[in-house]
Amino acid sequence: MFRISLSKVPLSRPVRPSIQNAQRRTVTTVRCDVPRRADIPSPRGPGKISTPQDFLKAIGRSSETKISIDSWDAFWRTSGWDMKNAGLSIQDRRYILWCMEKFRQNKPIEGFAHEERPKKKIRGRGPAVQFGKRIRSRRDR
């Protein structure tokens, strides 16, 4: 085993940085307390989507019944925390925020709105069907 004694090891550099080095350093500050918001998109099309309720109805999953916001600007300023406080589930919040972002990117609603994934019918690990046949346990019955 090796023994190291710190009292015998000389210090190779001073503990405090010199004043000259401190003056050469530049410090940049970034303001992080104000979140950056994307632009609020304008309602699209002649009479297609003009209110938040129309948007929620267009994306489906009965979103219009889960949250109610009256003005267009207030809808686009809504955050995930506001939706959480309104009582939306995590999946609903994520889906609505995802659709809002796609709408901001000028993508058509028909291209990204989709129904919820159906519930799994087969539980457990591994494939349930191989070679077109359903796998069952191999023990004798």
Side-chain angles (χ1 to χ4, degrees):
M1 290 288 158
F2 298 103
R3 289 188 180 189
I4 298 174
S5 173
L6 294 177
S7 62
K8 296 180 182 177
V9 177
L11 292 175
S12 60
R13 57 185 171 146
V15 176
R16 293 186 207 154
S18 66
I19 295 174
Q20 295 171 351
N21 289 341
Q23 289 175 348
R24 277 189 250 156
R25 294 181 193 159
T26 58
V27 178
T28 59
T29 58
V30 178
R31 199 169 165 193
C32 297
D33 58 345
V34 179
R36 189 169 176 214
R37 284 278 181 181
D39 294 334
I40 296 173
S42 62
R44 286 199 209 144
K48 285 188 177 179
I49 296 176
S50 58
T51 63
Q53 294 302 322
D54 293 340
F55 177 78
L56 292 171
K57 194 176 290 186
I59 63 174
R61 295 193 187 184
S62 64
S63 301
E64 69 275 3
T65 62
K66 297 174 183 174
I67 188 169
S68 61
I69 298 174
D70 296 331
S71 77
W72 188 257
D73 290 336
F75 178 67
W76 290 101
R77 294 200 194 309
T78 303
S79 67
W81 287 105
D82 299 332
M83 291 182 190
K84 181 178 182 178
N85 293 335
L88 264 72
S89 67
I90 295 170
Q91 292 86 2
D92 294 333
R93 277 184 271 156
R94 289 183 69 199
Y95 180 70
I96 292 171
L97 291 171
W98 178 76
C99 289
M100 287 169 68
E101 185 59 34
K102 294 292 183 181
F103 190 78
R104 254 190 210 115
Q105 295 170 1
N106 291 327
K107 295 186 178 177
I109 290 183
E110 298 81 24
F112 61 82
H114 59 275
E115 288 302 317
E116 201 168 2
R117 182 180 293 174
K119 190 175 179 181
K120 286 195 217 176
K121 295 179 182 173
I122 299 167
R123 296 184 166 270
R125 297 185 188 170
V129 177
Q130 287 182 353
F131 304 111
K133 296 180 182 178
R134 188 176 172 92
I135 298 175
R136 298 203 171 158
S137 66
R138 296 181 181 163
R139 64 185 174 127
D140 295 327
R141 292 183 187 204

